[in-house]
Amino acid sequence: MTLMTRPRTRPSARQTLKQRSVWTYWREYLAISPFFILFAVFGLFPLVYALYLSTVSWDGLGKMTPVGFDQFIRLFTSGEFQSALSNTVVIFLTAQVPVVVAALGAAALLSSRRLAAKGLYQTLFFLPQVTSIVAVAIVFQSLFSNEYGIINSGLQAVGLDKVPWLSTEWGTRLVVSIMIFWRSFGYFVVIFLSGMSSIPPSLYEAARLDGAGSLRIFRSITIPMIWPTILFVAVTGTISGFQIFTEPQVLTNGLGGPNDSVVTMMFLQVRYMGGTTQTVPTDLGFATAIGWGIFAVLILLAAINARVMGKRRKEAS
Amino acid sequence: MKRFQSLVLGAALLATSALAGCGSNNTAATSQDTTLTVWARGNSVPNDVETILAKKFPEWTIKFQNIPDVEDKLRAALRSKSGLPDVVIMGGSLPSFFQVSDQFLDLSAEAKASDATAASLKAGVTLDGKQMALPTDIGPWGLFYRADAFEALGYPSDPEQVAAKLDSWEAYSKLAEAAAASGKHACDTAAQVYQARLAQKGYAYVQLKDGKEVNIADSPISRDAFLYAGKLAKDKTCANVKPYTPEWNAATTQENLIAFVGPAWEDGILKKAAEKQSGAWRVATVPGGPVATAGSFVTGLAASKFPDAARQLAAYMGGSEFQKAGYLDKGLFPSSKGVFADPEAAKPVPFYNGQDTLGMLAKSATDAPSVYQGSNSTVVSTQFFVAMTDIANTGADPATVYQDLLKTTASK
Amino acid sequence: MKQGRLAWLKHLVLLPLAGLFAFPFYWLLVMSTGRTSDIFGSPPRLIPGTEFFANLGRLLESVNFLQAFANSAVVSISATLLTVAVAALSGFVFATFRFPGRNWLFGILLATMTLPTGVMLVPTLQIYVDLGWINTYLPLLVPGAASAFGIFWMRQAARESVQYEVIEAARVDGASFLRVFWHVGLPALRPAIAGFTVFQFMWNWNEYLWPLLVLNDSNLYTLPVALQQLNGSYGTSDYPVVMVATLLATIPLIVLFLLFRRQVMSSVNSGAVKG
């Protein structure tokens, strides 16, 4: 692409890298040190502890019982983690993936210089982000309630049947997905917008003069130019999407919906930590094993992500 | 560009000054003066709790901390053995603390002197017989109903007559079906009915045998209650709304819910949701006999530097004077029989058309059987609660659901 | 002409969508001005009522709102500035400087984002106890000061907007490390910094669990903890008061967004090229 004006490889840097002693880079190391120092102080010990905790059974108050690898065997055999994983995947595919794609499109629309009232739109899309989750839960329950919900009243008013939103597995999953979409849309829009502001307006103008249409500009300028941001959203969006918890928790009053249909991996972990409405006996050992299970899934996804995005990047540029 | 950078610089200065000023000064007790810290949810104590305590114990310094989710915080403090208060008021999850009862003070002497109802006092006793906590409020159950709606269905409206007519669960079923036939609901959720029937028999899935907990999840008491309530759920006789949810409020506000059985504290949500129906509601005894469930408890911590003072303070907070203030301010139903007899507390309530609801529910509180709550009772109970909701949603067969549930619950 | 029709089409898509997104917030507004029986009536009230100040009065009566608001402001502003400053510098260095082990260190940083932090609650609290940090704001400020998420974001933003020639030129001119960051990095990262600041502030502002666990003195409570005091053991009974509280708690976030919106949006390149 000729539009990519900036060199992304830095040939001179590689040469100097070999010649200088490590100590001459002290400024660089100092600048990135806070993260590693804080992680060493506040992350490492808890991490070791979390390894230990996964070999015991503990309700968080009484005595710990050493159980060896039982918690991991339970993780693989009880079926709870597997069903939580599949719930998570369903919610991820129906909520997180569409919202990122939609937000990318909306950001492209909202960053166009000619659009009137774009400030108003940006603000309105951002509102769900700041609306307290307590209020959001009340609103969504009031909207989707089977008997008393505004949506079902509306459906009946126009002669349609009521939809059993929150009393069926798929209905509940759907409402959770809608809620996630609604809540995180503005978040992704802001991230994409901040990336798009690094694109020099002159690039757009040159392309327009060349007669390129909006779609072509989006594909050939916007996407390649904000590729690092897209990568960032792909990685963090996958991590947060697979750790979804708040929406199912508040929508189902901490119970997990019909047949635990919206119990995600994180929900399951918090449930065993005693943090949701108690439908299982608290066991921090099992909760920790679930935590390691989530970790394994995320690492696997990160590897896949890196491959896919790496390939895309080559295709794009 | 320059403006952005000076903004950054100014912000950094601000942050440094804020950081410097925000370390809190932890003033440790230097003298031997009795200093006590109390933890409680603000909503489980009277409004001016600090003044009341300062007046009662002028020679001590009592620090009251209003703590939401106090049980979580107490659990964390017990684990790290730091920052523990001297006295705590906590809610329903008391049995989960029984296994660490050595961290709490023994309140046996205070319990002997207490005038709390027998069942509520017993709920604060651990497996090995230690009085770990004293009740500060309780939940006697009542049948809350709308007098006008009952009349429309051909039922009496006076609480005494209602109680006489609805003396059994079968009679209650008939009422609920009649209400459902007229497009209204006389029970909120079948799960509440199920719980009422269990508590009525003093049953909570475990039994004490030789000082040990024995799982009795598979019991005729639970089975009968489950099948009974399951039918209400399956036939959609109940409104299928859980208390403390927006749906429950909507059902009540929209006059769809005309009666329900529930603990005394639901009076708080009822009065808000049914604000415009003031004067229409009454309370009668629950069909089939008195029911009461545990509310909040006050306990003292063994780590307290002033254990005697902590015990005295706990006893006071579990006593009639303190509970009366709590009832008058927040409607916290007292466990102390002294309040039941108090003319300032037991008086006509306008919302219930001048009925003396305290006196009415007090009878339930006094006569209800005590319920032994095991450490896992709440968990098992929630599982049955969820299953009942599922029946209401899916129309599944209660007997089958019950058998399935036993697979997970009977083994724990 | 074609341009005009296209814009019209865009609004046709955006306007209903924006309405849907704003509706729950609008309803929050309505709920905070009504009574419980208005909120749940049929049909539900859809225009604001007149009870706002009555609800506000009940809120101020039961919770020390202003104190908690001030506490939250101090904690959230300090914590956010710390986190954003560290993230901007570290992210910029990761993106534009080369040094041995850079990719490895960055890989480790990314990997920490997937660690099971939820279960680390118990040992982490123990660390705070051992450090004597209980009942101070330090646990809310220090451990979160370096955010892997933030560093990652800033690194990616720097890769997009920092022009290598500019840095080289600055170095040839003998500009010091920090000067390069100050004169090249900050201006180029402006939109990302503004966006991250808004989110980081919001997350700090809404943080509930750690303030609950580490703060013992009610006078130190942050807003979420103070607002949770409105609930009883079983849940909310006074919905309008909760709604007023959450509405007021939202105002700083909206103000912040409005202030920073332009920074997120405006193009950086015209400036960065000039240095």
Side-chain angles (χ1 to χ4, degrees), chain B residues 61-261:
Chain B
T61 314
I62 299 174
K63 262 198 110 173
F64 174 79
Q65 310 285 19
N66 178 340
I67 294 182
D69 295 318
V70 63
E71 299 83 8
D72 291 342
K73 175 130 176 158
L74 180 63
R75 219 167 272 133
L78 283 172
R79 275 198 292 255
S80 59
K81 306 224 170 9
S82 80
L84 281 166
D86 299 277
V87 172
V88 185
I89 293 185
M90 61 172 138
S93 57
L94 180 76
S96 69
F97 290 90
F98 281 174
Q99 52 171 328
V100 286
S101 61
D102 56 325
Q103 306 239 29
F104 293 90
L105 294 169
D106 188 354
L107 299 172
S108 300
E110 286 72 20
K112 270 203 197 91
S114 162
D115 70 341
T117 64
S120 67
L121 270 176
K122 224 173 156 187
V125 180
T126 66
L127 268 179
D128 43 4
K130 176 176 175 175
Q131 185 84 39
M132 203 185 98
L134 302 173
T136 56
D137 68 71
I138 52 170
W141 286 47
L143 169 66
F144 294 80
Y145 67 93
R146 278 186 61 156
D148 51 347
F150 266 35
E151 275 169 8
L153 289 172
Y155 277 77
S157 61
D158 176 68
E160 300 275 332
Q161 289 170 340
V162 167
K165 173 115 186 169
L166 297 174
D167 58 344
S168 69
W169 288 107
E170 284 65 40
Y172 181 65
S173 268
K174 284 210 186 79
L175 161 78
E177 279 155 17
S182 75
K184 308 267 178 192
H185 295 287
C187 54
D188 49 6
T189 154
Q192 284 266 100
V193 175
Y194 166 70
Q195 286 183 336
R197 288 193 55 153
L198 298 190
Q200 207 160 46
K201 303 264 171 144
Y203 172 90
Y205 308 100
V206 283
Q207 199 173 30
L208 271 187
K209 238 179 206 160
D210 309 324
K212 281 206 166 141
E213 280 182 13
V214 180
N215 184 319
I216 48 162
D218 185 15
S219 121
I221 298 177
S222 173
R223 191 185 153 79
D224 288 353
F226 194 86
L227 294 185
Y228 170 84
K231 187 173 172 351
L232 292 179
K234 189 175 179 342
D235 298 348
K236 304 208 182 295
T237 314
C238 294
N240 192 18
V241 291
K242 292 186 241 19
Y244 295 97
T245 63
E247 285 190 306
W248 192 94
N249 279 279
T252 309
T253 304
Q254 295 172 25
E255 311 197 10
N256 238 301
L257 193 63
I258 56 157
F260 64 96
V261 287

Side-chain angles (χ1 to χ4, degrees), chain A residues 6-8 10 12-14 17 20 22 25 27-29 31-32 34-36 38-39 41-43 45-47 49-50 53 58 109-112 114-119 121-132 134-135 138-140 142-143 150 181-182 185-187 190-191 193-195 197-201 214 225-232 235-236 239 243 269 273 284 287-288 291-292 295 298-299, chain C residues 3 6-7 10-11 14-15 17-18 20-25 27-28 31 40 44 86 89-90 93-101 105-106 108-116 118-124 127-128 131 133 142-143 145-149 151-153 156 159-165 168 171 177 191-192 195 198-199 202-203 206 239 242-243 246 250 253-254 257-258 261 264-269:
Chain A
R6 285 172 239 150
R8 286 190 185 268
R10 285 126 205 199
S12 61
R14 186 162 286 277
L17 202 62
R20 293 163 61 186
V22 170
Y25 296 100
R27 292 179 197 84
E28 281 86 344
Y29 290 122
I32 60 162
F35 175 81
F36 295 94
L38 288 174
F39 183 71
V41 176
F42 297 102
F45 165 63
L47 205 62
Y49 186 88
L53 212 52
W58 187 37
L109 268 183
L110 289 176
S111 70
S112 90
R114 291 189 186 81
L115 187 73
K118 63 183 175 187
Y121 286 128
Q122 286 158 9
T123 312
L124 292 181
F125 287 138
F126 190 70
L127 274 184
Q129 272 286 306
V130 297
T131 311
S132 126
V134 183
I138 293 171
V139 170
F140 271 75
S142 303
L143 285 176
I150 296 168
F181 190 104
W182 177 82
F185 184 73
Y187 164 81
V190 168
I191 296 183
L193 278 177
S194 83
S197 55
S198 71
I199 305 173
S214 298
M225 290 300 280
I226 65 160
W227 191 252
T229 297
I230 293 178
L231 201 72
F232 169 73
V235 172
T236 57
I239 292 174
Q243 294 185 335
Q269 185 192 26
M273 286 168 64
L284 291 184
T288 312
W292 288 113
F295 173 69
L298 287 176
I299 288 291
Chain C
Q3 204 57 46
L6 198 70
K10 280 179 186 169
H11 286 290
L14 285 171
L15 204 62
L17 212 62
L20 277 180
F21 275 75
F23 175 71
F25 187 83
W27 215 31
L28 167 68
M31 286 194 282
F40 299 107
V86 169
L89 180 62
S90 303
V93 168
F94 265 125
T96 55
F97 291 83
R98 280 197 155 255
F99 46 92
L105 288 170
F106 188 71
I108 292 172
L109 181 137
L110 279 189
T112 61
M113 291 173 69
T114 61
L115 288 171
V119 290
M120 293 181 181
L121 201 82
V122 180
T124 308
I127 294 177
Y128 298 155
L131 289 172
W133 283 9
V142 179
S147 140
F149 173 88
I151 295 172
F152 186 20
W153 188 356
Q156 300 304 87
R159 294 179 81 163
E160 277 165 9
S161 55
V162 175
Q163 303 194 12
Y164 190 66
E165 302 92 322
E168 280 296 277
R171 290 202 135 181
F177 186 84
V198 169
F199 290 131
M202 186 178 78
W203 294 326
N206 290 334
Y239 284 95
V242 174
M243 294 302 125
T246 52
T250 305
L253 302 177
I254 295 177
F257 177 77
L258 291 177
R261 193 180 58 77
V264 174
M265 284 298 302
S266 61
S267 176
V268 294
N269 274 87

Side-chain angles (χ1 to χ4, degrees), chain A residues 35-205:
Chain A
F35 175 81
F36 295 94
I37 293 171
L38 288 174
F39 183 71
V41 176
F42 297 102
L44 278 187
F45 165 63
L47 205 62
V48 173
Y49 186 88
L51 273 176
Y52 164 70
L53 212 52
S54 58
T55 66
V56 300
S57 177
W58 187 37
D59 71 348
L61 209 52
K63 289 201 176 68
M64 289 185 188
T65 324
V67 295
F69 285 104
D70 281 8
Q71 301 289 20
F72 289 101
I73 294 169
R74 185 175 167 197
L75 187 71
F76 285 110
T77 55
S78 75
E80 281 175 286
F81 185 71
Q82 286 74 359
S83 90
L85 176 60
S86 80
N87 288 337
T88 311
V89 170
V90 168
I91 293 173
F92 179 79
L93 292 178
T94 54
Q96 197 81 346
V97 175
V99 77
V100 168
V101 175
L104 182 60
L109 268 183
L110 289 176
S111 70
S112 90
R113 299 184 120 196
R114 291 189 186 81
L115 187 73
K118 63 183 175 187
L120 180 72
Y121 286 128
Q122 286 158 9
T123 312
L124 292 181
F125 287 138
F126 190 70
L127 274 184
Q129 272 286 306
V130 297
T131 311
S132 126
I133 189 71
V134 183
V136 173
I138 293 171
V139 170
F140 271 75
Q141 287 180 351
S142 303
L143 285 176
F144 289 98
S145 159
N146 286 352
E147 295 297 325
Y148 307 95
I150 296 168
I151 291 181
N152 273 352
S153 311
L155 289 178
Q156 280 187 308
V158 295
L160 293 169
D161 280 342
K162 287 191 290 191
V163 177
W165 299 107
L166 295 176
S167 61
T168 55
E169 292 180 31
W170 284 100
T172 312
R173 284 195 192 113
L174 184 66
V175 177
V176 164
S177 293
I178 293 173
M179 197 167 164
I180 292 168
F181 190 104
W182 177 82
R183 277 193 83 209
S184 53
F185 184 73
Y187 164 81
F188 289 118
V189 166
V190 168
I191 296 183
F192 284 131
L193 278 177
S194 83
M196 288 173 189
S197 55
S198 71
I199 305 173
S202 52
L203 274 188
Y204 287 129
E205 279 148 28

Side-chain angles (χ1 to χ4, degrees), chain B residues 332-355:
Chain B
L332 300 165
F333 200 92
S335 61
S336 154
K337 287 186 255 182
V339 187
F340 300 165
D342 195 306
E344 275 182 66
K347 60 178 184 196
V349 184
F351 182 82
Y352 298 101
N353 194 35
Q355 192 190 353

